[in-house]
Amino acid sequence: MERPGRLLLQSELRVRNAAYDVSLSRSLLIWKRRTSSPVYHPFRPSVCHSVPVSEIISVREEEEENGSRQRDDGSWKKIREREGKDCRQAFTVLYVERCRQHRWRCAEVTFTCSDEAVCQHWVSSIREQLASNTSRPKHLLVYINPYGGKRQGKRIYEQKVAPLFTQAGISTSVIVTEYANHARDHLKMEAELKKFDGVVCVGGDGMFSEIIHGLIWRTQIDCGVDPNSTEEALSPCSLRIGIIPAGSTDCICFASVGTNDPVTSALHIIVGDSQPLDVCSVHHNNMFLRYSVSLLGYGFYGDVLSDSERKRWMGPARYDFSGLKMFLTHHYYEGTVSYLPAKGIIGTPRDATRCRSGCVICQHNGQLNSERSEKYEMDEASDSESSGEWRTIRGKFLAINAASMSCACPRSPKGLSPAAHLADGTTDLILVRKCSRFNFLRHLLRHTSKDDQFDLTFIEVHRVRRFRFMPRHCQSDSDLELDLHENSKRQIFSQICKDHPACGCAPAYSSWNCDGEILTHTAIDVRVHGQLIKLFARGIEELPVFEDLSNPCAI
């Protein structure tokens, strides 16, 4: 438990007609019940509570609320007479309460003071401490996707999130998007970003992708950085991004908070949490294509996405159908992967360390990468192929995946790369070589088990800072723009065989799945930009070994 430090205020107050010693420091609000007997009772419920000041949502006086409740109701009058308190002598503190599965809830406690002056002193002192926290947002720009997921985005925001923002004194400017990339285009050109302390998106991973594309692009233009250059280091975004999950997968929320609960995400925004996040820039022939924060997948995951896009009428079931279909077709693709290994860092893709709140690996490697980026800006040749650091692998691959985070979700609790980190300046490059269907199934099933999913002879994984891919049959960059949809329309199930001769039974190219969007080029150059953006999050918190879930704030 955090030490309370120097006390700012201490009084005897009442909670539910019981006497409590209440103290306030710069870090903690503590209320401890006074006991009439000095005898220790080991089975008596805990009567001491502690809340970090940083996790207090707001404080309010009860004058207006209780005054409005006065009615000609005999029972209410009896209660007021029994309690014998003036309505101006009570105040309520709203604070964060931890629940199961990393969820947060808004709890409250009402204190009754001996007189009005004491009450006002407590309220002003707590508000002063909240106001001194400069990390808390006061003005937010909110984008709502009304069509994402189950089309519940607007309802979720209005019923669950907006009331919390109002209680915390946060003003919002709300935009309901009307078409694809509406939020991206508005951030690029029209939004007056200087008026806001953060940007919030209500939707799924697709909506979040729109936000980062608009915000990162706008930041680079404002800073004079060319987004099309593969060698320039991108400028980090100053505004934090909040995600209110209302999509199908909500992968980013699972990786940064541990749950896809809208109330939990809203509370992380209110208390002003900050979690840096790596972003991969994807280029083709010195032309910018997209940014990626979670998964870049070629082969199996690219084929699944391409096939499922033509079956949107099936709803979420299309992913299961397309996944089964692509597993049975068992396509492999030939190509060359070149990568720049991440040297001098701590942590590997196969260790047992998981990225959690206050991650030491992210802090260490993030600092290391920022020092290296300054060096590379002065000596660009050190990051070129002539430096000798690049490594090359040629072969036949069922899948090529780059995971910048664990990519965990309800269907895959561990994710594609369980030990991937949010902000260490690297991505985990996973190469699945050509193998039998049975072995590939073993690999897929390990995403849902506790087994080491990389402990297979046909799989290799590397932690890299940059990588490139070139399909085997590409003769020039102009050949790389493929009509993938027309190709796949000609075949429902390609022939199932060990090898695909030049008979055209299997496509020569797959497509890249970039955070759920299809790239139009297959030859790409990917570079990791460490801690380019920040989220209103703190990473997944480690649960205490002895956790009192019935009273999460009890100490």
Side-chain angles (χ1 to χ4, degrees):
M1 171 183 162
E2 186 180 356
R3 292 184 180 276
R6 186 173 67 87
L7 292 180
L8 301 176
L9 200 56
Q10 188 170 18
S11 302
E12 179 186 337
L13 307 179
R14 303 187 75 81
V15 178
R16 295 180 179 176
N17 215 30
Y20 278 76
D21 289 322
V22 187
S23 61
L24 174 69
S25 69
R26 295 188 184 278
S27 58
L28 289 173
L29 172 66
I30 301 173
W31 60 102
K32 183 176 181 179
R33 185 171 181 174
R34 287 194 165 191
T35 56
S36 56
S37 172
V39 179
Y40 173 68
H41 297 277
F43 299 107
R44 177 175 292 174
S46 174
V47 291
C48 183
H49 301 260
S50 169
V51 175
V53 172
S54 60
E55 294 180 6
I56 295 177
I57 299 168
S58 65
V59 58
R60 67 170 185 261
E61 293 183 77
E62 290 298 322
E63 177 179 4
E64 293 183 3
E65 182 180 351
N66 287 346
S68 64
R69 288 182 181 176
Q70 293 185 30
R71 303 188 304 268
D72 292 332
D73 186 336
S75 62
W76 175 249
K77 289 180 180 179
K78 289 180 181 178
I79 293 175
R80 289 181 56 81
E81 290 172 2
R82 184 171 67 249
E83 292 180 351
K85 68 175 183 180
D86 191 309
C87 60
R88 294 173 296 178
Q89 297 173 6
F91 66 94
T92 297
V93 175
L94 287 79
Y95 60 93
V96 170
E97 181 180 76
R98 284 166 175 76
C99 303
R100 292 178 176 87
Q101 298 177 338
H102 305 288
R103 291 175 179 245
W104 285 9
R105 285 294 175 264
C106 178
E108 62 179 55
V109 56
T110 299
F111 298 99
T112 304
C113 308
S114 57
D115 57 59
E116 183 178 351
V118 173
C119 177
Q120 291 181 350
H121 189 26
W122 269 96
V123 171
S124 60
S125 297
I126 295 175
R127 285 176 177 169
E128 183 180 335
Q129 293 305 306
L130 297 182
S132 66
N133 187 345
T134 57
S135 66
R136 291 195 169 205
K138 296 178 177 60
H139 310 284
L140 293 173
L141 177 58
V142 180
Y143 293 95
I144 301 176
N145 177 9
Y147 305 109
K150 297 180 180 179
R151 298 175 178 258
Q152 297 294 309
K154 192 173 180 182
R155 183 190 64 82
I156 288 173
Y157 178 77
E158 291 175 349
Q159 295 184 8
K160 297 184 177 182
V161 178
L164 290 173
F165 284 171
T166 300
Q167 288 177 335
I170 297 175
S171 64
T172 58
S173 177
V174 179
I175 296 176
V176 180
T177 58
E178 300 174 356
Y179 52 87
N181 293 319
H182 183 178
R184 183 200 67 183
D185 297 341
H186 185 263
L187 281 169
K188 275 186 175 182
M189 306 296 297
E190 302 176 30
E192 298 181 42
L193 299 182
K194 293 183 179 179
K195 295 168 55 178
F196 302 102
D197 303 313
V199 180
V200 175
C201 65
V202 183
D205 294 334
M207 186 62 174
F208 175 73
S209 181
E210 277 195 43
I211 297 297
I212 66 168
H213 277 81
L215 193 58
I216 294 175
W217 185 277
R218 174 75 170 269
T219 303
Q220 307 321 306
I221 297 302
D222 291 347
C223 295
V225 177
D226 180 12
N228 286 312
S229 173
T230 59
E231 304 302 329
E232 282 200 60
L234 300 182
S235 298
C237 302
S238 58
L239 292 181
R240 285 168 291 175
I241 302 173
I243 311 171
I244 304 298
S248 302
T249 56
D250 303 312
C251 172
I252 313 299
C253 268
F254 267 98
S256 59
V257 177
T259 181
N260 63 339
D261 175 55
V263 172
T264 302
S265 295
L267 293 176
H268 278 285
I269 295 171
I270 290 171
V271 302
D273 280 338
S274 183
Q275 169 64 51
L277 192 67
D278 297 336
V279 178
C280 292
S281 61
V282 185
H283 289 78
H284 162 72
N285 198 22
N286 288 322
M287 176 180 68
F288 170 75
L289 296 180
R290 286 190 72 84
Y291 295 115
S292 170
V293 295
S294 56
L295 172 67
L296 270 167
Y298 184 81
F300 179 75
Y301 289 104
D303 293 346
V304 169
L305 180 63
S306 297
D307 188 76
S308 65
E309 282 299 297
R310 296 188 302 279
K311 299 177 176 61
R312 299 187 71 88
W313 54 271
M314 295 179 65
R318 68 185 185 272
Y319 298 113
D320 295 327
F321 179 85
S322 296
L324 175 61
K325 175 181 171 182
M326 291 303 109
F327 172 76
L328 293 175
T329 55
H330 201 59
H331 288 152
Y332 68 84
Y333 302 94
E334 296 186 62
T336 301
V337 179
S338 303
Y339 65 91
L340 197 61
K343 293 185 176 179
I345 63 170
I346 57 176
T348 69
R350 297 187 63 179
D351 61 28
T353 306
R354 300 293 182 261
C355 190
R356 293 294 183 261
S357 181
C359 179
V360 176
I361 291 178
C362 288
Q363 294 174 7
H364 176 273
N365 294 349
Q367 178 64 29
L368 184 65
N369 285 316
S370 64
E371 295 172 356
R372 283 180 171 175
S373 64
E374 295 175 2
K375 174 185 174 183
Y376 289 144
E377 284 181 10
M378 296 182 291
D379 183 15
E380 291 186 1
S382 63
D383 207 23
S384 67
E385 294 189 33
S386 60
S387 66
E389 294 184 12
W390 284 84
R391 298 178 184 176
T392 301
I393 299 174
R394 296 179 178 86
K396 301 174 182 178
F397 305 99
L398 288 172
I400 300 172
N401 302 319
S404 299
M405 58 177 61
S406 66
C407 300
C409 65
R411 292 192 173 195
S412 178
K414 291 193 342 180
L416 292 181
S417 185
H421 289 265
L422 296 173
D424 66 343
T426 69
T427 188
D428 287 350
L429 182 62
I430 306 166
L431 306 178
V432 184
R433 292 183 179 271
K434 178 188 170 186
C435 63
S436 67
R437 283 185 186 79
F438 175 74
N439 279 334
F440 188 52
L441 180 62
R442 289 171 60 204
H443 166 63
L444 294 178
L445 290 177
R446 290 197 177 189
H447 295 328
T448 61
S449 70
K450 296 182 179 180
D451 297 329
D452 181 0
Q453 47 197 306
F454 304 132
D455 187 22
L456 297 168
T457 57
F458 54 91
I459 293 178
E460 52 185 291
V461 58
H462 308 277
R463 188 152 284 179
V464 306
R465 292 188 291 112
R466 188 171 178 178
F467 75 91
R468 296 166 181 159
F469 175 73
M470 175 68 72
R472 176 186 174 188
H473 300 291
C474 287
Q475 300 299 320
S476 65
D477 289 331
S478 61
D479 297 331
L480 297 175
E481 192 164 355
L482 308 173
D483 191 357
L484 298 167
H485 295 283
E486 290 300 321
N487 250 358
S488 50
K489 280 179 184 176
R490 300 190 192 106
Q491 40 192 318
I492 299 176
F493 284 93
S494 298
Q495 86 173 40
I496 299 175
C497 55
K498 284 188 176 180
D499 298 299
H500 296 293
C503 62
C505 68
Y509 311 105
S510 177
S511 56
W512 281 98
N513 176 344
C514 179
D515 292 359
E517 298 292 334
I518 300 172
L519 299 184
T520 56
H521 297 81
T522 55
I524 60 173
D525 186 342
V526 180
R527 176 177 176 180
V528 184
H529 300 270
Q531 304 186 5
L532 188 65
I533 62 176
K534 291 183 179 179
L535 305 180
F536 282 108
R538 63 175 61 177
I540 300 175
E541 292 183 309
E542 293 281 8
L543 295 176
V545 178
F546 302 103
E547 186 182 35
D548 183 5
L549 291 173
S550 63
N551 188 6
C553 295
I555 56 173

